[in-house]
Amino acid sequence: MATINANFLKLKAGYLFPEIARRVKAYADANPELAKRVIRCGIGDVTEALPPAVVKAMHEGVDEMASRDTFKGYGPEQGYEFLRQAIVDNQFADLGISADEVFISDGSKCDTGNILDIFGKGNTIAITDPVYPVYVDTNVMAGNTGDADEKGAYEGLVYLPCNAANGFVADLPKQKVDLVYLCFPNNPTGAVATRAQLEAWVKYAKENDTIIFFDAAYEAFIQDPEIPRSIFEIEGARDVAIEFRSFSKNGGFTGVRCAYVVIPKTVTGKTDSGERIPLHQLWSRRHSTKFNGASYPVQKAAAAVFSEEGKKEVAALIEHYMGNAKLLREAAAAAGLPVFGGENAPYVWVGCPAGLSSWDMFDKMLSEAQVVITPGSGFGSAGEGWFRISAFNSRANVEEVCRRLKALVA
Ligand SMILES: *Cc1c(COP(=O)(O)O)cnc(C)c1O
């Protein structure tokens, strides 16, 4: 008889977004007329069309595939050189990153999960709370945790609470950890880390031999020129950090799929006997064995994000979403609620009205205002009492959400 990976049984059943979908469907079934008014600001998915430069490049890529002379079969597993070089030139210029330290994939969700393949058992792993659920669940699946307690916290993980007091930027761990996940700009809170805060993290990592997983999926939304866009802007990060980036949120590629990991050749992990091995070597082996490359038209489309037209069009998309974020921030503040995020990130993180839990507020927003938000507690117990509003929407929808939020709470 085939045994299973019993770690999967430790996973808490209702993953956040299925539970949201269930409640929205139940509401719609019970209230078919009101359900027509529902505006979704829940799941963090882009809403606007792909930039025209991207669409054009993807069409060209398909046309090349349509002719025997220009047809392409399997590409390099690590990604086409033209895309890796464009990434380095446009995103990491002067940061000492080379094109062969970039690995193209079909998504950061997969990358942030798969990265655990190259790490051993018994590592002490720190995650911020609230957090992108993928980091937690993939550690559960990999057997890096014990069971969850009644609040949903897994035994064996080091939770770093983020709250209003620390501005939703986690304090350094009091203990030594081997791996830590940092995401800035943050999903769900919209928080960003200052240069001094990231310097402190890199210093901690050097002193404690920690690897930092830096998720920069929302880098393009940073408005403040003082905020670092990459962990590699911090001196010494090349020795301790891996960075994850995606075309999902800047280029609107959530349905196209393209992302990348940057692994400097200088970052190492240890064998049981204490020998240092470059993580780059292990990830290269893993990637070329378990992945066969992102599709050619998609990589061509991704490279178009860095064309002159593409840059302008992406900037316009970001401006649109950040304009939405500003309106949502203002509306939540006008309703008298505490507001974080939304200044360098497409998420606005709002405190619930007094006495309401995150799910209470979710139900209230759905049933009384027909607006779908994301309950903060779904991202971890430290998110209790907060909710996330996504700025990924049309301007008209956001303006309507602002009116309804103010009417509901004020
Ligand atoms: C959206 C998002 C990503 C990107 O995921 P893809 O799989 O590339 O679409 C990565 N990290 C976080 C925290 C995100 O919210």
Side-chain angles (χ1 to χ4, degrees), residues 31-45:
N31 305 276
E33 274 310 305
L34 283 171
K36 292 182 190 151
R37 292 182 86 227
V38 167
I39 301 178
R40 291 166 197 272
C41 297
I43 199 158
D45 194 359

Side-chain angles (χ1 to χ4, degrees), residues 66-327:
S67 162
R68 194 170 194 287
D69 296 338
T70 48
F71 170 79
K72 295 197 168 44
Y74 290 126
E77 288 105 347
Q78 194 172 342
Y80 283 99
E81 167 81 20
F82 68 79
L83 178 56
R84 289 184 290 114
Q85 194 58 52
I87 287 168
V88 167
D89 294 345
N90 287 280
Q91 305 272 271
F92 298 95
D94 306 325
L95 297 184
I97 300 296
S98 64
D100 62 356
E101 293 174 321
V102 177
F103 294 83
I104 309 297
S105 76
D106 60 358
S108 280
K109 187 189 212 180
C110 328
D111 288 335
T112 54
N114 290 334
I115 196 73
L116 293 173
D117 269 13
I118 65 168
F119 290 91
K121 298 284 164 228
N123 285 316
T124 304
I125 296 156
I127 56 146
T128 57
D129 178 12
V131 77
Y132 182 52
V134 177
Y135 311 153
V136 177
D137 288 0
T138 54
N139 272 291
V140 176
M141 292 173 182
N144 291 338
T145 75
D147 289 320
D149 66 15
E150 65 290 347
K151 285 171 99 180
Y154 288 92
E155 188 199 338
L157 289 181
V158 175
Y159 288 90
L160 306 175
C162 301
N163 44 47
N166 60 24
F168 292 94
V169 177
D171 299 327
L172 298 174
K174 302 215 166 32
Q175 69 203 96
K176 190 173 153 64
V177 304
D178 302 305
L179 301 173
V180 61
Y181 293 78
L182 298 180
C183 175
F184 292 114
N186 190 263
N187 175 12
T189 68
V192 285
T194 62
R195 182 171 299 273
Q197 286 167 325
L198 292 179
E199 281 169 354
W201 272 105
V202 169
K203 181 166 178 280
Y204 169 89
K206 291 211 136 192
E207 286 168 1
N208 293 281
D209 215 348
T210 309
I211 302 285
I212 297 173
F213 293 152
F214 194 77
D215 185 341
Y218 296 95
E219 163 276 330
F221 295 84
I222 294 175
Q223 308 289 305
D224 179 346
E226 298 299 316
I227 301 291
R229 292 170 172 268
S230 166
I231 191 71
F232 300 121
E233 288 181 41
I234 308 301
E235 172 124 29
R238 263 193 71 89
D239 299 326
V240 293
I242 291 177
E243 184 159 310
F244 300 92
R245 290 226 190 166
S246 173
F247 291 95
S248 283
K249 311 294 162 48
N250 61 346
F253 272 47
T254 55
V256 175
R257 314 305 305 142
C258 197
Y260 53 98
V261 192
V262 180
I263 308 190
K265 290 185 175 161
T266 37
V267 195
T268 58
K270 275 194 268 193
T271 65
D272 287 344
S273 58
E275 187 193 353
R276 291 202 168 264
I277 307 285
L279 298 182
H280 183 279
Q281 172 189 325
L282 303 183
W283 185 250
S284 175
R285 192 70 174 82
R286 190 249 169 234
H287 201 63
S288 54
T289 300
K290 291 195 178 181
F291 188 66
N292 232 348
S295 85
Y296 174 72
V298 162
Q299 292 192 62
K300 201 163 152 107
V305 163
F306 304 119
S307 65
E308 283 315 309
E309 286 308 304
K311 281 186 210 170
K312 278 189 221 141
E313 291 159 5
V314 167
L317 277 175
I318 302 287
E319 196 184 322
H320 165 75
Y321 291 130
M322 292 310 292
N324 287 349
K326 182 167 188 286
L327 293 175

